[in-house]
Amino acid sequence: MEKQRLDKMIASTGKWSRREAKDLIRQGRVLVNGAVARSAEEKTDPAAAVSVDGELLEYRRYTWIMLNKPAGYLSATEDGRGPTVLDLLPENLRRQGLFPVGRLDKDTEGLLLLTNEGGLAHDLLSPKRHVDKVYYARVAGCLTETDCKAFEAGMTVGDLACLPAGLEILSAAAESEAYVTLHEGKFHQVKRMLAGLGKPVLYLERIRMGPLELDSGLSRGAFRFLTENELERLRGFDNPTKNVKCSPKTQ
Ligand code: URA
């Protein structure tokens, strides 16, 4: 891997800003392979052992974050119309060039990935990759087997032609609940498909994207870094999660 500036490597952990990293280096608190680092500009091998105050850093070239998006935030990096998901991150992470991997509507909650790794993000969103997204939906109206068949067949709603999708009914009454699995991601797709069946969405939450399930330990608005294992699974992922069962919904 290409060498990086030392302050950039330290800041990429999300614990310190670039300026704080420079101060740490100046104060002699940073060691590279056991030797005190001299300069923030020092080009450093990402495989080097970098420590701050004796604590070894887990350095990553790119940052990947799992956010439990609350309603009321736009999936954008900047938008004059209201707060964006970046506003949910601390200042030092906001400066890392992160962007949301795909979009959730302003009122949709749940799993949203943020990264500054353009290549992999692009791959995950590519229609060729068909990375599955699973949503929990609450709708007005009673969902039926006919609705499931319409999803399976691939619906056309107005000018929106949809690939076959999954609809797993969890409860059916005047208001119903279901898991919806999409193998693509078109604008307002879940809402438009369900509205097309005369069952408008009352509430929508994404609970899975590809191999990653929304971490039940993350409260609404909270985030965490992806683990190495999760990143490996994302990188190696190219099969639809057709048979992946989601954990039972608890809310
Ligand atoms: N489909 C929708 O209709 N809205 C979302 O936010 C995501 C998928």
Side-chain angles (χ1 to χ4, degrees):
M1 214 190 282
E2 176 195 335
K3 287 187 173 186
Q4 297 287 312
R5 279 177 63 116
L6 187 55
D7 55 346
K8 196 168 170 218
M9 280 173 66
I10 295 170
S12 79
T13 61
K15 290 188 187 165
W16 300 276
S17 65
R18 286 277 279 272
R19 169 182 290 196
E20 287 164 341
K22 283 191 181 108
D23 287 343
L24 292 170
I25 295 164
R26 224 175 283 127
Q27 291 158 11
R29 292 162 65 186
V30 178
L31 302 188
V32 178
N33 291 332
V36 177
R38 300 261 160 252
S39 147
E41 285 114 70
E42 197 168 301
K43 292 279 185 181
T44 306
D45 182 344
V50 179
S51 65
V52 174
D53 294 336
E55 197 188 316
L56 208 55
L57 300 190
E58 208 186 302
Y59 164 73
R60 282 196 186 137
R61 173 88 173 80
Y62 297 109
T63 301
W64 278 87
I65 280 173
M66 178 189 289
L67 171 73
N68 185 348
K69 178 190 174 297
Y73 288 82
L74 294 155
S75 298
T77 50
E78 261 186 57
D79 198 306
R81 291 169 303 158
T84 74
V85 287
L86 280 231
D87 292 321
L88 295 161
L89 303 180
E91 183 65 31
N92 54 344
L93 285 179
R94 265 185 266 151
R95 284 189 304 239
Q96 287 195 16
L98 298 172
F99 55 87
V101 181
R103 278 169 187 268
L104 290 179
D105 295 337
K106 190 174 180 186
D107 59 352
T108 301
E109 301 196 308
L111 173 55
L112 185 67
L113 297 177
L114 293 135
T115 188
N116 48 12
E117 183 173 357
L120 179 56
H122 181 266
D123 267 13
L124 292 173
L125 296 173
S126 150
K128 280 190 229 123
R129 198 90 182 263
H130 290 299
V131 170
D132 288 6
K133 291 113 194 154
V134 183
Y135 298 84
Y136 162 82
R138 200 165 62 243
V139 301
C142 188
L143 288 169
T144 65
E145 276 309 307
T146 312
D147 297 326
C148 297
K149 293 211 171 88
F151 264 58
E152 253 173 55
M155 296 174 59
T156 299
V157 191
D159 58 356
L160 179 74
C162 306
L163 290 175
L167 181 67
E168 185 189 338
I169 301 174
L170 302 171
S171 70
E175 272 184 21
S176 308
E177 297 168 295
Y179 288 141
V180 173
T181 303
L182 297 185
H183 311 301
E184 57 188 339
K186 294 179 176 159
F187 191 53
H188 295 326
Q189 187 167 354
V190 174
K191 290 177 184 165
R192 289 172 76 187
M193 289 174 82
L194 286 162
L197 298 173
K199 320 271 161 79
V201 166
L202 302 172
Y203 174 78
L204 194 61
E205 178 190 21
R206 182 154 65 196
I207 56 175
R208 173 176 281 281
M209 183 160 173
L212 302 185
E213 199 169 334
L214 177 61
D215 185 335
S216 57
L218 279 181
S219 54
R220 222 42 106 197
F223 72 90
R224 69 163 171 79
F225 295 101
L226 292 192
T227 63
E228 276 306 325
N229 177 279
E230 287 172 328
L231 262 175
E232 259 168 48
R233 281 192 283 143
L234 265 191
R235 289 187 203 290
F237 186 79
D238 61 3
N239 265 324
T241 51
K242 277 207 180 75
N243 298 316
V244 172
K245 282 275 168 220
C246 291
S247 310
K249 179 88 194 131
T250 47
Q251 56 161 39

